[in-house]
């Protein structure tokens, strides 16, 4: 028995006329009648009552039709699903995201994915430092990582999608809030809130580099695991922080964000994905991500 035999049977059962069923199937009527008889012989039951005036399903034929319809519908759905997956429009996607992009780019990206690729099942893991993202990417826990370079290695492909200006997060009422920007020299005696763990945060390295270029070492008062906590401590007056501009989207009361000068320094935001065989789903998502990143900037 082949699927075509089931399709032949369904056509006759729905038309209750061998001529119309044959026309619908684009085959001649005699071969169709012969295939139905072979099917009945194989099953050992009579599926149709035939007369010169009409064709009717037997009770066995009616029961068989219900199962055949379910089988053929499942086959059609399976084929459509396979096509959608092959096109990259269906599947499961896990995204990791650095803190500052969690509050700005990530919400817009997820909304765009739901609109453009509604059959994707998207999950997100925000507030992940770059080393944790790379580990999760390599182990297959996430499919894409939104992070701050420098990162890399043979296991991943990294693409810069935009550059963000660096801002100083200051407690409201801080005397340095009086202007429209903050010179790095004004932070020489400041106490800083940073991410925990030397070497684990790209922003820690950027802070050290900027301060070294200005001739001083930053005084780090508090180290925290998440950007949201970092900004909260700034609001509490426990220090200042150097952050990418999108961090302002977090909206914590009691914090003012001012551009850092001189030189209007920036930091890259990149997307990392596993190296190797290209994934149609990842390519579809990257197309949406590039557009959203450009619009969001």
């Amino acid at each position: 028995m082949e699927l075509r035999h089931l399709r032949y049977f369904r056509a006759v059962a729905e038309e209750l006329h061998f001529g119309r069923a044959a026309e619908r199937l684009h085959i001649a009527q005699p071969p169709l009648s012969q295939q139905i008889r072979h099917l009945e012989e194989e099953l050992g039951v009579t599926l149709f009552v035939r007369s010169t005036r009409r064709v009717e399903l037997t009770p066995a034929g009616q029961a068989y039709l219900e199962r055949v319809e379910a089988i053929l519908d499942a086959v059609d759905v399976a084929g459509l699903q396979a096509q959608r997956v092959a096109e990259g429009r269906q599947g499961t996607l896990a995204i990791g995201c650095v803190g500052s992009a969690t509050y700005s780019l990530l919400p817009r990206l997820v909304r765009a994915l739901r609109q453009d690729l509604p059959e994707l099942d998207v999950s997100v893991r925000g507030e992940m430092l770059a080393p944790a993202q790379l580990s999760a990417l390599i182990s297959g826990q996430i499919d894409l990582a939104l992070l701050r370079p420098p990162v890399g290695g043979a296991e991943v492909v990294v693409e810069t999608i935009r550059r963000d200006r660096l801002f100083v997060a200051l407690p409201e009422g801080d005397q340095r809030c009086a202007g429209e920007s903050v010179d790095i020299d004004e932070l020489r005696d400041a106490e800083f809130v940073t991410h925990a763990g030397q070497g684990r945060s790209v922003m820690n390295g950027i802070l050290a580099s900027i301060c070294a270029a200005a001739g001083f070492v930053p005084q780090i008062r508090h180290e925290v695991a998440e950007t949201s906590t970092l900004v909260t401590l700034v609001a509490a007056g426990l220090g200042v922080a150097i952050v990418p501009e999108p961090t302002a989207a977090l909206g914590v009361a009691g914090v003012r964000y001012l551009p850092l000068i001189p030189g209007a320094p920036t930091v890259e935001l990149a997307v990392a994905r596993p190296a190797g065989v290209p994934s149609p789903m990842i390519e579809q998502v990257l197309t949406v991500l590039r557009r959203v990143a450009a619009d969001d900037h």
Side-chain angles (χ1 to χ4, degrees):
M1 186 184 301
E2 300 177 13
L3 279 177
R4 63 187 178 91
H5 297 136
L6 301 184
R7 298 190 192 280
Y8 291 167
F9 166 74
R10 182 173 65 177
V12 176
E14 290 175 350
E15 297 292 344
L16 293 178
H17 190 283
F18 277 86
R20 289 195 299 269
E23 183 177 352
R24 169 175 154 183
L25 294 166
H26 304 291
I27 62 175
Q29 180 176 336
L32 175 61
S33 299
Q34 186 178 34
Q35 292 293 339
I36 296 300
R37 290 193 183 280
H38 288 166
L39 179 61
E40 290 176 318
E41 291 171 2
E42 183 173 346
L43 295 174
V45 298
T46 300
L47 299 173
F48 295 101
V49 175
R50 305 161 176 83
S51 70
T52 56
R53 300 182 61 183
R54 62 183 180 178
V55 176
E56 294 181 343
L57 280 167
T58 64
Q62 184 62 51
Y64 192 59
L65 176 62
E66 293 176 4
R67 294 294 186 178
V68 165
E69 287 179 332
I71 291 169
L72 293 178
D73 288 346
V75 169
D76 292 341
V77 169
L80 179 60
Q81 183 177 20
Q83 292 172 0
R84 302 295 284 175
V85 170
E87 294 170 355
R89 295 185 171 276
Q90 189 175 79
T92 301
L93 176 76
I95 306 173
C97 191
V98 70
S100 56
T102 301
Y103 314 120
S104 56
L105 176 63
L106 189 60
R108 292 179 176 87
L109 173 60
V110 172
R111 286 195 295 269
L113 290 175
R114 293 178 66 180
Q115 179 176 342
D116 293 6
L117 301 168
E119 295 177 72
L120 282 189
D121 182 9
V122 180
S123 62
V124 299
R125 293 179 59 186
E127 291 279 13
M128 294 182 71
L129 296 180
Q133 288 200 65
L134 288 176
S135 177
L137 196 64
I138 293 169
S139 65
Q141 297 176 54
I142 60 176
D143 303 294
L144 285 178
L146 293 170
L147 37 69
R148 302 287 180 187
V151 292
E155 305 96 336
V156 297
V157 177
V158 180
E159 173 189 341
T160 298
I161 55 174
R162 75 179 191 195
R163 300 189 69 90
D164 294 320
R165 292 188 299 168
L166 291 181
F167 274 48
V168 183
L170 300 158
E172 282 188 352
D174 188 290
Q175 61 180 1
R176 287 161 291 214
C177 290
E180 296 300 320
S181 61
V182 175
D183 191 296
I184 186 63
D185 281 332
E186 296 181 69
L187 303 177
R188 189 175 297 272
D189 298 323
E191 294 182 323
F192 285 86
V193 183
T194 68
H195 288 96
Q198 294 299 319
R200 292 173 52 199
S201 168
V202 171
M203 287 305 302
N204 284 4
I206 291 173
L207 171 63
S209 176
I210 290 174
C211 293
F216 69 94
V217 176
Q219 301 178 46
I220 297 175
R221 181 173 180 182
H222 293 281
E223 293 184 342
V224 299
E226 298 180 340
T227 304
S228 56
T229 305
L230 180 149
V231 174
T232 300
L233 293 189
V234 171
L238 297 179
V240 303
I242 303 298
V243 297
E245 183 178 3
T247 304
L250 185 56
V252 174
V255 182
R256 186 174 182 195
Y257 300 90
L258 295 175
L260 180 65
I261 58 172
T266 61
V267 60
E268 293 179 344
L269 179 66
V271 57
R273 61 190 186 275
V277 180
S279 162
M281 178 185 70
I282 295 300
E283 292 304 319
Q284 291 279 3
V285 173
L286 287 175
T287 297
V288 176
L289 172 59
R290 293 179 188 116
R291 185 189 75 235
V292 172
D295 292 343
D296 185 52
H297 199 40

